[in-house]
Amino acid sequence: MNPSQAFQGIFPPMITPLNPDFSLDVAHTEKLIEHLIEGGAHGIFIIGTTGESASISPDVKSDLIRLTCKQVNGRVPVLVGITESSFVQALDLAAIAFESGASALVAATPFYINIDQDEVVNYFQKLADAVKLPLFLYDMPSHTKVKIEIESAVKLSAHPNIIGLKDSTGDKANFAALCEAFKDQPEFKLFIGPEEILGEALAMGGHGGVSGGANMFPKLYVSLYEAFQKNETEKVQSLQDTIQFVSENIYQNGTYKSSYLKGLKGSLSFEGLCNGVLALPLYSYSDTDLADLRPRFLNVKDQVEQALLQSI
């Protein structure tokens, strides 16, 4: 396979299964990885926002990298998040990823610190110089409070070790501008984060999606990507409508700012794919919330199964 071809398609941002003491839940992690690969995922991204990268411990991160790479065993690319406010800590994670056999790294801007765009560019250039794996930029301004501007991304793409960008701004105009800026650089891969605009992002020229719902229903997101590749526009729209249904019924319950992760991990716990434990400062849904979520999840699961049958 052409190396650049390996980095496109659906790369689920894998949740981090945790034990009640916040250590890595090994058994559920192995089970979840098999679920993703059996569902046709083109790759797996660990230690991202959905993986609670800012909250899990350094030990969990290193354990997760080693376990994931061992379990995947080269079947699909493994992307490892190395977002840290400390450059040295990012390098430590990158070294573990390289030693474990990961395929690439993903880094958002350092958070908490006020950073100018010149500092953003300098940081990523220094990071790309220092690591032994290819690097994806990760634009997540809602969480890091620092945006990777289009001009900065273009500058950074000149670095031979920076190979793409994941856009989690949620701004369609931003992704369209990225696609326009890189239309003559197809080797620079552009991934969309928010699954609610997956179909539109592919039509703009995106190379794939890092879709949280693919933790639950990898075949749904893979089917949309494959339908797009075959230019089956009606099928793409139908599957996108189902993805929207997933979003509205799983991620938006209650008034919690963390309802996305609460709903996702709660739903995965119904399927025996995790314990539903979230790392502090977040906490899981209450028993009452889970009782409310369960019928919603079962309805969503039924809708997804019907959509997949219709798309065959």
Side-chain angles (χ1 to χ4, degrees), residues 258-291:
S258 57
S259 60
Y260 160 68
L261 272 170
K262 283 177 165 60
L264 180 56
K265 276 198 159 178
S267 297
L268 288 165
S269 74
F270 299 149
E271 294 290 279
L273 293 168
C274 74
N275 288 322
V277 176
L278 275 71
L280 288 168
L282 301 183
Y283 54 80
S284 308
Y285 272 147
S286 67
D287 290 344
T288 301
D289 288 328
L290 286 173

Side-chain angles (χ1 to χ4, degrees), residues 3-14:
S4 69
Q5 293 297 313
F7 297 117
Q8 54 189 53
I10 302 300
F11 281 61
M14 195 174 82

